[in-house]
Amino acid sequence: QVQLVESGGGLVQAGGSLRLSCAASGRTGSTYAKGWFRQAPGKEREFVAAINWDGSTTYYADSVKGRFTISRDNAKNTVYLQMNSLKPEDTGIYYCAAGLVLTTTPAYNYWGQGTQVTVSS
């Protein structure tokens, strides 16, 4: 079992930056692929970014490429999402996920509770 706790969300103006963190505990999460997803009000959960266990492979949604960066520190069992040049359409609840397979789909085994990101125009 892996427990995931997200932090770092908040309210920011368009053009600003935030860094989300996702701390893993329980059964070691350092060997798991990690992903970030988001869900805006009234919309389905969508893929944002993903990273494999050692950070050598990353995937991004087209909508965030060049603005967001996913990274991980296995010594701290933490994965990060650096979000720059934020837009109002980036608003939503951001979820961290962990699983054995790196994927851009929601097919991850474990999920956090989410952290709210609100970007004002």
Side-chain angles (χ1 to χ4, degrees), residues 4 6 15 23 28 50 110:
L4 304 171
E6 302 97 335
T28 177
Y110 306 102

Side-chain angles (χ1 to χ4, degrees), residues 2-4 23-34 51-55 72-79 98-100:
V2 176
Q3 292 80 42
L4 304 171
S25 61
R27 185 173 178 176
T28 177
S30 62
T31 58
Y32 284 77
K34 300 286 176 57
I51 189 167
N52 73 331
W53 75 275
D54 67 355
R72 64 190 298 161
D73 184 340
N74 285 342
K76 297 181 178 180
N77 282 332
T78 300
V79 63
L100 295 174

Side-chain angles (χ1 to χ4, degrees), residues 48-60:
V48 176
I51 189 167
N52 73 331
W53 75 275
D54 67 355
S56 60
T57 301
T58 57
Y59 296 134
Y60 295 93

Side-chain angles (χ1 to χ4, degrees), residues 81-117:
L81 186 67
Q82 177 66 44
M83 305 186 296
N84 299 328
S85 302
L86 283 161
K87 304 175 181 180
E89 51 264 43
D90 294 318
T91 294
I93 300 175
Y94 281 68
Y95 297 92
C96 175
L100 295 174
V101 179
L102 179 65
T103 177
T104 61
T105 74
Y108 285 85
N109 304 89
Y110 306 102
W111 291 83
Q113 294 299 307
T115 185
Q116 177 70 47
V117 171

